[in-house]
């Protein structure tokens, strides 16, 4: 498929007709928007806006979203803006309304059967890759995430535990250990009814980078996605991971930028 066709398919199935990304959350159509709403530890925000949205409609939709989410009591929520969304100055309008943009990421897609994806799964001697299936595994995964990214993994712990308890078949979490210590982790969201599987959270602690751990985690997840019948892998990639993924055959569909609104205290 051509890049434009894949992007259109992604917009239609993963954004306009989005499915909840975990237990206890719901997807709502609110006029020209599609949003996900859940608890305080879930991801809350706008996933899609109508491509016919004009300047006046955009401002009204932004105001309505702020009113809705603050009424729910959430401390923050996100508007996930894609580079091809309209109107062209939607990002400026979000900033004017109090949203703060985070670092942009590259939206990348690759066919699951690409040979480069399925190769390179070997880990250095002494390392062990295992699926996360219980609370002990979740703790190892969270520790690897905190050490790799330098951020608190409290929300990740909540989300992974909820998935394992209530929807384990649509989710895969992995951790790599060295001598029992967690050194890398990653997860994959499987979206039933679509052709896409999403790769999320791949990170390796600094002293273990450059040894193929990230690539091995991609290969393992690609093999599982292929076995489950998915056609494409999707990643919102940071500047660190995007070059690696491009070498593995991923194609850029554009960029995504998280615009976050935080409630005044």
């Amino acid at each position: 498929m051509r890049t434009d066709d894949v992007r259109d398919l992604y917009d239609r199935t993963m954004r306009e007709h989005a499915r909840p990304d975990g237990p206890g959350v719901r997807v709502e159509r609110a006029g020209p928007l599609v949003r996900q709403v859940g608890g305080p530890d879930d991801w809350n925000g706008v996933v899609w806006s109508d491509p016919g949205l004009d300047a006046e409609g955009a401002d009204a939709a932004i105001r309505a979203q702020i009113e809705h989410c603050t009424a729910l009591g959430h401390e923050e929520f996100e508007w996930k803006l894609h580079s091809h969304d309209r109107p062209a100055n939607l990002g400026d309008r979000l900033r004017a309304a109090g949203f703060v943009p985070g670092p942009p990421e590259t939206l990348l897609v690759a066919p699951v059967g690409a040979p480069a994806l399925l190769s390179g799964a070997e880990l250095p001697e002494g390392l062990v890759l295992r699926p996360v299936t219980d609370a002990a595994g979740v703790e190892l995964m969270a520790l690897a995430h905190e050490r790799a990214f330098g951020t608190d993994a409290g929300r990740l712990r909540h989300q992974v535990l909820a998935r394992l308890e209530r929807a384990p078949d649509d989710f895969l979490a992995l951790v790599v250990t060295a001598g029992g210590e967690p050194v890398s982790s990653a997860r994959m969201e499987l979206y039933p009814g679509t052709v896409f599987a999403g790769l999320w959270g791949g990170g390796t602690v600094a002293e273990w980078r450059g040894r193929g751990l990230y690539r091995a985690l991609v290969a393992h997840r690609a093999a599982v996605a292929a076995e489950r019948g998915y056609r494409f892998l999707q990643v919102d990639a940071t500047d660190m991971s995007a070059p690696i993924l491009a070498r593995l055959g991923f194609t850029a569909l554009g960029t995504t930028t998280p615009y976050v609104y935080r409630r005044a205290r």
Side-chain angles (χ1 to χ4, degrees), residues 55-77:
E56 182 178 354
D59 289 341
I62 291 169
R63 288 193 300 270
Q65 183 65 9
I66 291 173
E67 292 170 1
H68 176 80
C69 289
T70 54
L72 292 176
H74 294 317
E75 293 297 324
E76 67 177 49
F77 62 92

Side-chain angles (χ1 to χ4, degrees), residues 2-138:
R2 298 181 307 168
T3 298
D4 288 349
D5 293 334
V6 176
R7 183 170 56 229
D8 289 344
L9 179 63
Y10 178 82
D11 277 350
R12 185 170 65 254
T13 60
M14 300 299 294
R15 301 182 65 205
E16 184 179 5
H17 299 287
R19 294 154 176 80
D21 70 0
V25 301
R26 64 187 183 275
V27 171
E28 302 174 340
R29 181 67 184 252
L33 306 179
V34 173
R35 65 191 176 211
Q36 176 170 293
V37 179
D41 289 321
D42 297 310
W43 185 89
N44 292 270
V46 174
V47 297
W48 182 84
S49 58
D50 193 295
L53 198 63
D54 59 15
E56 182 178 354
D59 289 341
I62 291 169
R63 288 193 300 270
Q65 183 65 9
I66 291 173
E67 292 170 1
H68 176 80
C69 289
T70 54
L72 292 176
H74 294 317
E75 293 297 324
E76 67 177 49
F77 62 92
E78 180 181 320
W79 188 304
K80 192 174 181 66
L81 181 68
H82 289 65
S83 52
H84 57 281
D85 287 345
R86 295 293 179 266
N89 64 352
L90 182 54
D92 294 334
R93 295 179 178 278
L94 288 167
R95 279 192 293 269
F99 286 78
V100 177
E105 297 179 321
T106 304
L107 174 60
L108 296 168
V109 170
V112 297
L117 278 180
L118 300 175
S119 64
E122 301 80 11
L123 287 170
E125 186 177 353
L127 296 189
V128 177
L129 184 157
R130 68 173 191 175
V132 173
T133 59
D134 55 22
V138 171

Side-chain angles (χ1 to χ4, degrees), residues 155-228:
R155 178 176 289 184
L156 176 66
R157 286 182 176 90
H158 163 83
Q159 293 174 342
V160 176
L161 282 170
R163 295 303 296 270
L164 291 177
E165 291 171 1
R166 292 188 273 173
D169 294 337
D170 301 334
F171 179 78
L172 175 68
L174 302 168
V175 64
V176 177
T177 58
E181 287 296 312
V183 297
S184 189
S185 66
R187 60 193 190 277
M188 179 168 65
E189 297 281 352
L190 300 166
Y191 305 108
T194 80
V195 296
F196 291 95
L199 305 187
W200 298 93
T204 302
V205 299
E207 57 266 34
W208 283 94
R209 291 173 188 162
R211 306 193 199 185
L213 278 67
Y214 183 87
R215 182 168 181 173
L217 287 167
V218 171
H220 186 92
R221 289 175 289 172
V224 172
E227 291 171 2
R228 302 279 186 94

